[in-house]
Amino acid sequence: MQAPAPERLIKGGLPTEAMVAHVLVSKYAWHLPLYRQAQMLKSQGIVIERMTLAAWVGYAAAELAPVVARLREILLGSVKLAVDETPVPVLDPGRGRTRIGYFWSMARDDRPWGNEDPPAVAYSYAPGRGAEHAIKLLADYCGIVQCDGYAAYKQLVDRRRNSGSAALAFCWAHWRRRFYEIAKSGPAPIAQEALARIAALYAIEKWIRGRSAVERQAVREAESKPLVDALKTWLESETHACLRQIGHCRRNPLWRQALGRLGALPRRRPHRDGHQCGGAHDPSNRTYAQERAIRRLRPRCGQLGCRRLPGRDLQAQWR
């Protein structure tokens, strides 16, 4: 008598779990496309077609789907999340070129305020960048969403949502960038003054990073809040001067966005600003894992984009 062979990841297949894991790590961590892996295996006398490797990736993604679902469930139970999206080229057979899809990420990294919850990030693929994708990503979430100024996220504050309204904490780094772009184009004393004022806020954030939420909130109330109030007052008094300073660029969409940010800052306070949302928040989502990790998702020169399989989210389940 012979005991039945143990079940394998691919029923009736030869590859072991270790082999499939090697293919996944090579593709997603070391950016080796499947066609290149097939060539490397062939040079060692092992002939495995690229489509076979792709099938292995699909099997592995299906097995990991419950893990991904649980990760998202844990993240959606967090007090706050950082959300971002990034374009990615997607193969579009028959057109002879790629089209643009988007990876949407939601991340939690509460280490700056001493929380013991482990940092985590989950990615989802969507064919576009519309508000419906942000709403789907954060369905049933009513916590605090840290994001840039993209208008799609404002749909999350709709009180008619079934889960209730979420609160937005905008990223100061994205807003600061507009002043930086103005300042680097030439003499711009107002933009430089804004950068100096924001730098003072960031110096406080550097000092309190790693402290408890209670300590951070106390310091922000005592030191950051007066600086933010003064920045608002100064911006209001200098608005006309700012318009004169960059008036020659008003037709440029980039400058129009900068002007829009000037007017939007006061409306973000107190409940929509990273400095005023309590001690458990950061002024910038650049400190979050997803801002750093999402760069790794962009294909290298040798990768010809991702392929979206109908009904599956295979490419987004590995982070």
Side-chain angles (χ1 to χ4, degrees):
M1 296 182 65
Q2 183 177 2
E7 289 288 337
R8 291 191 174 183
L9 177 64
I10 302 174
K11 190 172 183 178
L14 294 178
T16 63
E17 288 78 1
M19 178 61 183
V20 176
H22 173 75
V23 172
L24 297 178
V25 172
S26 298
K27 175 174 172 58
Y28 293 100
W30 301 113
H31 302 282
L32 284 174
L34 296 181
Y35 81 88
R36 191 173 299 166
Q37 293 189 52
Q39 292 174 349
M40 295 169 66
L41 291 169
K42 187 175 182 180
S43 68
Q44 301 177 50
I46 305 172
V47 180
I48 302 178
E49 297 296 333
R50 182 177 64 171
M51 291 305 298
T52 302
L53 297 176
W56 294 358
V57 173
Y59 274 107
E63 291 294 324
L64 288 176
V67 178
V68 176
R70 177 55 181 161
L71 175 60
R72 291 174 179 168
E73 182 181 350
I74 293 173
L75 286 174
L76 291 173
S78 305
V79 175
K80 64 176 176 61
L81 289 173
V83 183
D84 196 16
E85 77 288 335
T86 190
V88 60
V90 181
L91 293 177
D92 195 4
R95 299 182 62 191
R97 58 189 176 89
T98 61
R99 56 185 173 83
I100 298 298
Y102 285 87
F103 275 123
W104 291 74
S105 66
M106 55 181 179
R108 177 187 69 192
D109 188 355
D110 296 335
R111 291 174 295 181
W113 57 280
N115 188 278
E116 296 182 355
D117 291 337
V121 57
Y123 296 93
S124 299
Y125 173 81
R129 197 183 177 216
E132 65 274 14
H133 303 300
I135 294 173
K136 180 180 179 181
L137 178 69
L138 297 171
D140 301 325
Y141 183 72
C142 57
I144 297 172
V145 178
Q146 180 126 29
C147 58
D148 55 24
Y150 181 41
Y153 297 116
K154 296 180 181 179
Q155 300 289 330
L156 299 173
V157 302
D158 189 346
R159 298 184 181 276
R160 294 172 295 180
R161 294 178 68 213
N162 294 332
S163 60
S165 173
L168 298 183
F170 288 94
C171 173
W172 277 65
H174 287 82
W175 186 71
R176 175 190 176 277
R177 184 196 307 160
R178 305 306 167 185
F179 289 109
Y180 174 77
E181 291 169 348
I182 296 171
K184 75 176 184 180
S185 64
I190 296 176
Q192 292 170 353
E193 173 68 16
L195 292 174
R197 289 173 178 265
I198 296 173
L201 289 168
Y202 272 51
I204 297 174
E205 291 299 314
K206 182 178 180 180
W207 179 54
I208 65 176
R209 185 169 295 123
R211 301 195 180 191
S212 69
V214 175
E215 291 179 288
R216 284 157 62 95
Q217 184 169 3
V219 173
R220 284 172 174 173
E221 288 290 337
E223 301 187 29
S224 298
K225 188 176 184 299
L227 295 181
V228 174
D229 291 338
L231 175 59
K232 175 188 174 183
T233 302
W234 175 77
L235 282 174
E236 290 173 343
S237 66
E238 296 290 345
T239 296
H240 296 295
C242 287
L243 291 175
R244 290 195 298 270
Q245 180 177 328
I246 62 176
H248 63 285
C249 294
R250 286 186 188 178
R251 295 185 179 182
N252 188 305
L254 180 63
W255 296 109
R256 290 203 304 270
Q257 186 177 5
L259 291 175
R261 294 294 180 88
L262 284 174
L265 178 64
R267 295 197 296 271
R268 296 176 184 176
R269 299 178 50 254
H271 64 292
R272 292 187 181 180
D273 184 80
H275 281 293
Q276 305 295 329
C277 282
H281 309 282
D282 285 305
S284 169
N285 61 0
R286 289 184 179 274
T287 60
Y288 284 85
Q290 118 281 3
E291 272 283 347
R292 299 186 298 272
I294 202 168
R295 298 187 183 97
R296 300 201 302 264
L297 291 176
R298 302 187 181 189
R300 304 295 177 87
C301 293
Q303 281 185 276
L304 300 179
C306 304
R307 182 174 182 179
R308 171 67 170 161
L309 299 183
R312 295 188 179 181
D313 201 6
L314 307 183
Q315 300 288 345
Q317 294 185 3
W318 302 113
R319 301 293 181 183

